[in-house]
Amino acid sequence: MARSAGDQLNAHAAPATNGHMGIQQPSSQPLSTTQLISHIPKILPHERVFPIQIGSELFKLSGASLSSDAPSYFSQYFLCQIRQAEENGEDISTAIRTLSIDRDPDTFKDIALHLQGYHVKPRDATHFVRLFADAQFYRLPKLMSQLYEESIFTTIGERQFEIPRELFSDPGNSPNFFSLGFAVFFSSPDELFPGLDREGLLRPPSIVPPAIPTRNGDIFAELLNLLRGYPVNIRDEGHRAELLRDCRYFNFKGLEQRLIPHQISYNLARKRHEIVLRLRDILKSGITVAPEPTALNPAAGWVNYARPFVDDKSHELVLEIGDESTRLQFGPNGSMSNMRAEFFGEVKTRVAKLFEVISTKLNLSPTTQPLGLLMAQGGASSQPATPGNTPLSEDLVRVVMDPEASVTLDGKTWSLEEAGNISVPSSAGGLGTTNSGGEQNSPTALPLSVPASQPFSRKRRRVNMNEGLEEWIVRTGQWRLRIQGVKNGKAAIECCLVAVKLDAMSSEHARNVQRPFLGG
């Protein structure tokens, strides 16, 4: 006997069972079309066809298609007509009227495909915003959720981009310009035109495709490649500056940390990893202090750094300070036993902020002034940004110069050993001695310049190269930051700068010698 359609449907849907146990067995057969249709909620009669006029074109969709993404504007409209016909005892076939909507029929063709079970993928930014606006207007929850998960379509400069959302899932790069700036219309699939009253809305507002004409599309394409894990060849510092500028514009913080100038290496002599960074690139969240106590100095340690979102461990920090913003001041007679560094301009403020962060890491009070006096003067924020307002230093920061430092002075290599062993002609007998700090011990030391009329003796006396030297201007310097105990200081510990590599000038003449012409 032939089975009815309902019997056939039940035959397909009935699960296989074990005759002995009565346990359902999983079917290895894929779901049939009738089974897939049966998963669609029966909001409207599946077999009935409903007419929808969109602009100048008439679409006829089944109740199954309209019920597949419901409740929606369509399902509510036709369901209302069906209920009204049932209440009035009318024939449903004649009671259903055509729904007319003055919208774009080309966009609705894709929406009809979606209702019929096809996956509709936006082609470009314009197509995306039209689908998005009409999906919101027609109240299609599944299509709105799908579009919310779709790639971000935007135009940057003159280039169009399709950006997968998972590229921004990294905590270091999210939230960013796209997740924040585009949130007005793309924040939540449940929000219908945020800020607008949906009742009485005849048509959705016009949405302009996202575009950022003020940025460079080629630079953004390189940033996307970096986000995807591909290396980008940084051609020069100008190119790096362009990449960093747009990183900051789009708020890609993790990517910015990968692009900032830095060098990580293993120092075999010190048996530790080092990271060289510019002062302007230091973030407080990356700073730590690694204790390294000794018998003579139990408070000793070194400032370490890890780039936020990038480095999984800290490295010993080598801080680079440039811009001719550092002046080194020597002790009496060019003594190096009490050298100090004075900073100027923005660098002085940055050094002070750095010392404040280090003080916090060491659980020290960020200011040395009593609370009452501090509040009377307007609070900590009113105090000038200077190292002297931190517990780790005076206004002039202590400097340590050891024989390992590489120093270029006035364009020539300079070393600490040479500073204490330079010979000059002398009429006095004997040799002067030099102490460990590079200071001349002879009370009869001659100046470095000797009158030409003075007769020279065959004997020569050694004097301090730095005698009469008062200060250096450091064009660019690299420093380690050492924490050490101190007696009779404002706190029990201080932060001093240990010279690693310096490019310095001893006079205005030396600076002028190295001054370039503009050319052209």
Side-chain angles (χ1 to χ4, degrees):
M1 180 182 294
R3 295 182 179 180
S4 65
D7 292 335
Q8 291 176 353
L9 178 60
N10 291 333
H12 284 293
T17 60
N18 185 307
H20 298 286
M21 303 292 294
I23 300 175
Q24 293 183 355
Q25 299 293 329
S27 174
S28 60
Q29 299 295 327
L31 292 175
S32 65
T33 303
T34 52
Q35 286 176 307
L36 290 173
I37 292 176
S38 68
H39 291 321
I40 299 174
K42 197 167 184 178
I43 297 176
L44 295 174
H46 286 189
E47 68 283 354
R48 189 170 295 280
V49 175
F50 297 89
I52 303 174
Q53 181 81 28
I54 304 293
S56 59
E57 294 191 31
L58 179 64
F59 296 84
K60 293 184 178 181
L61 296 174
S62 68
S65 293
L66 295 179
S67 300
S68 66
D69 195 353
S72 66
Y73 184 84
F74 309 117
S75 65
Q76 295 298 100
Y77 176 83
F78 290 115
L79 189 59
C80 231
Q81 289 191 3
I82 291 174
R83 288 174 178 172
Q84 188 174 5
E86 290 175 346
E87 291 176 0
N88 297 335
E90 298 175 359
D91 183 11
I92 295 178
S93 300
T94 59
I96 293 178
R97 298 182 300 276
T98 300
L99 172 61
S100 297
I101 303 176
D102 188 18
R103 296 294 292 170
D104 176 36
D106 290 335
T107 303
F108 191 79
K109 288 178 183 178
D110 292 317
I111 292 177
L113 288 174
H114 161 75
L115 294 172
Q116 291 166 346
Y118 296 96
H119 178 79
V120 177
K121 181 176 177 60
R123 295 183 292 272
D124 51 38
T126 300
H127 187 217
F128 177 83
V129 296
R130 288 183 177 180
L131 278 176
F132 178 83
D134 281 3
Q136 293 253 28
F137 183 64
Y138 300 140
R139 301 183 184 179
L140 298 169
K142 290 184 179 179
L143 183 55
M144 285 190 290
S145 295
Q146 175 192 322
L147 292 175
Y148 179 74
E149 299 297 331
E150 283 286 349
S151 300
I152 295 173
F153 292 84
T154 185
T155 301
I156 297 179
E158 297 180 354
R159 294 183 58 173
Q160 292 194 11
F161 292 91
E162 179 182 350
I163 311 167
R165 290 180 182 266
E166 56 265 22
L167 283 183
F168 300 146
S169 60
D170 183 357
N173 298 313
S174 181
N176 54 56
F177 176 89
F178 300 97
S179 60
L180 296 175
F182 288 8
V184 177
F185 286 107
F186 304 96
S187 57
S188 169
D190 302 323
E191 229 178 331
L192 294 171
F193 301 116
L196 292 180
D197 183 8
R198 183 62 181 80
E199 296 299 328
L201 187 64
L202 296 178
R203 62 178 58 180
S206 175
I207 303 178
V208 178
I212 312 171
T214 58
R215 312 314 295 180
N216 188 310
D218 295 335
I219 293 295
F220 185 75
E222 293 181 299
L223 294 181
L224 285 185
N225 275 339
L226 284 167
L227 288 172
R228 292 186 176 104
Y230 292 97
V232 170
N233 179 32
I234 299 178
R235 298 183 293 272
D236 49 43
E237 287 308 307
H239 183 213
R240 185 194 300 273
E242 290 179 341
L243 292 170
L244 284 170
R245 183 170 57 247
D246 278 11
C247 265
R248 293 170 183 132
Y249 181 87
F250 295 115
N251 204 39
F252 296 152
K253 294 182 179 179
L255 190 54
E256 177 189 354
Q257 290 302 303
R258 289 169 54 190
L259 287 172
I260 59 174
H262 69 281
Q263 184 181 43
I264 296 177
S265 61
Y266 182 74
N267 188 328
L268 191 59
R270 294 177 61 81
K271 297 181 180 180
R272 63 193 69 185
H273 286 89
E274 298 176 336
I275 182 169
V276 182
L277 281 173
R278 297 180 306 188
L279 177 62
R280 69 173 71 107
D281 294 324
I282 297 293
L283 298 178
K284 64 180 181 180
S285 58
I287 297 172
T288 56
V289 176
E292 196 174 285
T294 63
L296 296 178
N297 196 348
W302 298 91
V303 175
N304 285 11
Y305 191 83
R307 291 171 298 163
F309 313 115
V310 177
D311 295 331
D312 55 0
K313 64 179 181 180
S314 294
H315 316 282
E316 186 172 89
L317 177 62
V318 177
L319 188 65
E320 182 170 304
I321 303 176
D323 302 326
E324 294 187 22
S325 55
T326 309
R327 179 165 61 194
L328 289 185
Q329 297 187 7
F330 295 83
N333 296 323
S335 168
M336 292 191 174
S337 61
N338 190 29
M339 291 179 65
R340 296 280 176 168
E342 182 179 9
F343 300 101
F344 298 89
E346 181 183 359
V347 169
K348 182 177 183 179
T349 301
R350 291 184 181 276
V351 171
K353 296 296 183 183
L354 175 61
F355 279 20
E356 287 179 3
V357 174
I358 297 172
S359 301
T360 303
K361 301 292 182 179
L362 294 170
N363 296 320
L364 300 176
S365 172
T367 179
T368 58
Q369 297 191 34
L371 181 61
L373 177 61
L374 184 64
M375 297 308 296
Q377 295 176 348
S381 61
S382 66
Q383 303 304 304
T386 175
N389 281 337
T390 71
L392 290 177
S393 176
E394 304 290 343
D395 281 339
L396 302 184
V397 181
R398 186 182 299 277
V399 169
V400 174
M401 183 87 71
D402 59 34
E404 304 299 331
S406 172
V407 180
T408 300
L409 181 64
D410 299 337
K412 299 179 181 179
T413 301
W414 180 95
S415 67
L416 194 62
E417 289 85 352
E418 292 176 353
N421 293 279
I422 298 299
S423 299
V424 297
S426 173
S427 58
L431 293 174
T433 59
T434 307
N435 64 20
S436 59
E439 299 179 40
Q440 179 66 37
N441 292 331
S442 171
T444 59
L446 294 178
L448 289 177
S449 57
V450 181
S453 59
Q454 182 174 334
F456 291 102
S457 168
R458 291 182 177 271
K459 295 184 179 180
R460 305 171 69 87
R461 186 182 60 82
R462 300 184 184 274
V463 300
N464 186 355
M465 175 182 176
N466 295 322
E467 186 173 329
L469 191 61
E470 295 181 355
E471 64 183 31
W472 289 353
I473 301 298
V474 180
R475 186 190 302 271
T476 304
Q478 291 183 351
W479 313 86
R480 289 189 180 90
L481 278 71
R482 187 171 77 189
I483 306 299
Q484 61 186 22
V486 61
K487 295 182 179 179
N488 302 322
K490 59 173 64 176
I493 56 179
E494 69 175 355
C495 182
C496 66
L497 302 179
V498 179
V500 176
K501 185 173 184 178
L502 305 181
D503 179 9
M505 301 169 291
S506 62
S507 65
E508 174 69 11
H509 174 266
R511 186 181 190 278
N512 290 338
V513 168
Q514 300 181 53
R515 184 193 297 271
F517 290 104
L518 294 178

